[in-house]
């Protein structure tokens, strides 16, 4: 990746302190942008993800508008499952819904009989979209995107979104063999999806384990971390970001023994505390509170300044929100944050 | 409370070790029981809460069926707001929805112009229901029920349920004066609601701050804890339980400087760790993982045994779930847990 190697993002992920602190926003590509909403009219979410020109354009919109330091590939965590032939739809206002929830040992056997290599074979539209994006981005890096095995399983076992992911967490204890079969297969699927994005030119990857914070540390270590590690191993020499929400009690575990170059931190834990937990060996990413995006600018400005100041306690810092951009966010506020972060002493 | 003073629950809340570990279940009264679903046909949630005979019967059903060590008053956290004249409905499958969200300084002024004493004045049906319950319960204690100011505000400011409570959390920083006005008023409303239940014979109270875990510790201390303390102060000599979900990082704060006799712990944090954080001055309540209620009995049995064993590290222990009974729970499993807990060495 000669063109992006000296970018602020890649330097921060390697543990350097670039001239300005890099900043991007989870869900920057998508629902908060009027140009996105216009482009999406009449196209269903998963169809948009698999239309190379459309996915590329959506990925690029926030880079042009905000001047962020990275693009994140526009996709959805269930896209690799769709590529594997699993029947799934994104229902607006609800989320991913599966025609056949995966609840029993037989359900798991049926699903995992699908060869994970079929994801790579069907990922042509993803490779094409990434190719278009990387060409236009030049020396701005593209971050590849995938859901982690537990968060994918939380949807698959329930059959759709759920609050406390009871059915997936139940399977871990009620039938550990089925659970490990499912999560191990999902790890291969995520790895195949990330691999396709890397082959086509992504400069880094982020694994989204959004719901990992619903687990006890003991369950996280026994039933989840090994599979997240498997999803990120074997991708070659590429920087890896690992993200979850409410993960304070498992933050050190999310380093995956150093496999993760950066760990995402949500708005609950100050970055200097996160840096102390991570032990100075890991870059921190975060953690502007999405709730403050609607506050008066002086309040938000002070908060962003505090986030950057606390981030100095880590070996390096990538500024981001603590979770995704809320749909009703004023995009001008995001642009203003980019300018502010770039103006601050790293 | 002469009749309930020697009950296992009250002894555990005072820090004693009764002959058996007391056990009850959050949401034991309600949706998981067929006799409840039958009784509720044709009656809306808030109407059921304010029908004394119906609310009393629903409160008593799980005590008769499971032999739990306490009743929890059947109600909803928005009932005191309804008593204050606020327009609110419970939409099945969604939750409380307010006709007029409370978002601006003017909205707050309009709401808080309602005298909190009006809640006490309108609480006749609550007092009547509690009177019926206490009469039938005899020496089994009734726990009074109320929502905490932050969790109530999370619904009020949003106008309904939300995932990360962005609008309420935004108000804290965007307009701290409006926030403190709202939360201070809600504290008085909760206190009035608990006061009515205590006057009519409740032997203990539990304050539900279900969404407190969405806050950073700094925000919890500055914007929430003082109001939860205000809700629980001034209730006289009554044991107080304080509960939230995902509260590991703020567990010590939830003691409210010792005002809480017991702190609820969800399934994420083992009770021996919770006891260490709470410092031996507080009873722990919890923390069977609701996900395990569907596991084969030997798995659940081992888990309950582990919960009871870890609870021995605390000054005293009230067994409960880590969060409310899921609607699809088999009630026989709950009855079996009660028998198991009662058979175990405290």
């Amino acid at each position: 990746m000669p063109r992006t190697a000296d970018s602020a993002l890649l330097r921060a992920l390697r543990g350097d302190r670039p001239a300005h602190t890099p900043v991007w926003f989870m869900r920057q590509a998508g629902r908060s942008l009027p140009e996105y909403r216009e482009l999406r009219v009449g196209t269903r979410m998963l169809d948009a993800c698999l239309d190379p020109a459309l996915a590329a354009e959506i990925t690029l919109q926030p880079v042009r508008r905000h001047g962020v330091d990275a693009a994140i590939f526009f996709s959805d965590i269930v896209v690799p499952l769709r590529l594997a032939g699993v029947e799934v739809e994104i229902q607006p206002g609800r989320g991913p819904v599966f025609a056949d929830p995966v609840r029993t040992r037989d359900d798991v056997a049926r699903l995992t009989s699908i060869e994970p290599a079929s994801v790579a074979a069907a990922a042509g539209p993803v490779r094409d979209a990434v190719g278009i994006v990387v060409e236009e981005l030049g020396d701005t890096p593209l971050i590849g995107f995938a859901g982690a095995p537990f968060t994918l399983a939380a949807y698959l076992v329930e059959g759709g979104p759920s609050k406390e992911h009871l059915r997936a967490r139940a399977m871990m204890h009620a039938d550990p063999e089925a659970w490990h079969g499912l999560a191990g297969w999902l790890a291969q699927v995520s790895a195949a999806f990330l691999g396709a994005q890397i082959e086509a030119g992504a400069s880094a990857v982020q694994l989204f384990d959004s719901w990992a914070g619903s687990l006890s540390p003991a369950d996280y270590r026994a039933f989840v971390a090994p599979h997240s590690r498997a999803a990120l191993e074997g991708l070659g020499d590429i920087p890896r970001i690992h993200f979850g929400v409410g993960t304070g009690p498992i933050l050190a575990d999310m380093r995956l023994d150093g496999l993760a170059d950066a760990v995402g931190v949500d708005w609950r834990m100050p970055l200097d505390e996160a840096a102390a937990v991570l032990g100075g060996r890991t870059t921190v990413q975060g953690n502007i509170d999405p709730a403050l995006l609607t506050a008066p600018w002086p309040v938000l400005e002070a908060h962003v300044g505090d986030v950057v100041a606390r981030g100095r306690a880590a070996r390096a810092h990538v500024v981001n929100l603590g979770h995704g951009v809320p749909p009703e966010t004023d995009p001008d506020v995001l642009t203003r944050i980019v300018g502010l972060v770039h103006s601050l002493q790293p």
Side-chain angles (χ1 to χ4, degrees), chain A:
Chain A
M1 297 157 287
R3 292 203 294 188
T4 63
D6 290 332
S7 65
L9 179 82
L10 288 212
R11 290 191 55 198
L13 293 179
R14 285 197 302 264
D16 288 353
R17 282 272 170 192
H20 71 265
T21 309
V23 52
W24 67 281
F25 304 109
M26 290 181 283
R27 286 205 189 250
Q28 65 187 18
R31 54 200 186 172
S32 70
L33 298 185
E35 59 268 36
Y36 164 81
R37 294 193 297 265
E38 198 179 310
L39 217 51
R40 268 287 311 281
V41 170
T43 308
R44 284 184 303 185
M45 178 63 185
L46 293 181
D47 295 338
C49 292
L50 292 171
D51 175 328
L54 196 54
E57 176 61 18
I58 294 170
T59 301
L60 290 162
Q61 284 175 341
V63 183
R64 291 189 206 118
R65 181 191 261 263
H66 301 309
V68 283
D69 292 283
I72 176 86
F73 184 55
F74 176 75
S75 192
D76 187 275
I77 59 166
V78 301
V79 165
L81 294 168
R82 163 69 75 94
L83 294 178
V86 175
E87 208 177 316
V88 56
E89 266 196 89
I90 311 280
Q91 291 186 0
R94 183 162 176 228
V97 176
F98 290 89
D100 303 303
V102 179
R103 296 192 180 161
T104 66
R105 187 172 279 224
D106 285 351
D107 295 338
V108 171
R110 209 171 305 121
L111 181 71
T112 59
S113 70
I114 302 174
E115 190 50 58
S118 68
V119 174
V126 171
R127 281 191 196 83
D128 292 346
V130 169
I132 299 169
V133 168
V134 166
E135 184 59 32
E136 174 159 338
L137 280 178
D139 54 12
T140 299
L142 171 70
I143 303 171
F145 168 100
F150 170 65
T151 291
L152 282 170
Y155 289 105
L156 262 174
V157 182
E158 194 71 35
S162 62
K163 273 184 198 156
E164 296 178 343
H165 322 305
L166 297 179
R167 289 185 205 268
R169 297 197 297 106
M171 189 191 280
M172 295 175 189
H173 295 275
D175 192 344
E177 201 180 317
W179 167 260
H180 286 297
L182 174 61
W185 182 82
L186 287 167
Q188 293 181 67
V189 163
S190 290
F193 189 55
L194 290 173
Q197 295 171 64
I198 294 167
E199 278 164 41
S203 295
V205 296
Q206 177 159 324
L207 190 69
F208 286 77
D209 207 357
S210 306
W211 309 141
S214 70
L215 296 157
S216 70
D219 280 357
Y220 183 76
R221 284 169 207 145
F223 297 106
V224 172
H227 301 293
S228 298
R229 200 179 295 126
L232 286 175
E233 271 169 358
L235 298 176
D237 180 25
I238 188 128
R240 295 156 169 88
I241 311 169
H242 191 197
F243 170 77
V245 176
T247 54
I250 56 168
L251 205 68
D253 299 289
M254 292 194 72
R255 289 184 67 244
L256 302 174
D257 303 317
L259 184 61
D261 300 277
V263 168
V265 180
D266 83 2
W267 66 91
R268 292 171 180 90
M269 183 186 261
L271 289 184
D272 47 342
E273 284 181 33
V277 168
L278 293 168
R281 299 159 297 180
T282 307
T283 296
V284 297
Q285 179 173 281
N287 70 348
I288 297 170
D289 188 342
L292 292 192
L293 295 175
T294 57
W297 176 251
V299 172
L300 178 55
E301 184 180 27
H303 174 60
V304 172
D306 184 60
V307 165
V308 171
R310 290 178 189 270
R312 291 193 194 110
R315 70 163 192 175
H317 180 198
V318 176
V319 175
N320 206 316
L321 304 180
H323 201 180
V325 176
E328 62 280 4
T329 302
D330 174 357
D332 290 345
V333 171
L334 298 179
T335 307
R336 205 165 174 187
I337 290 175
V338 173
L340 173 60
V341 171
H342 286 172
S343 76
L344 293 170
Q345 175 77 26

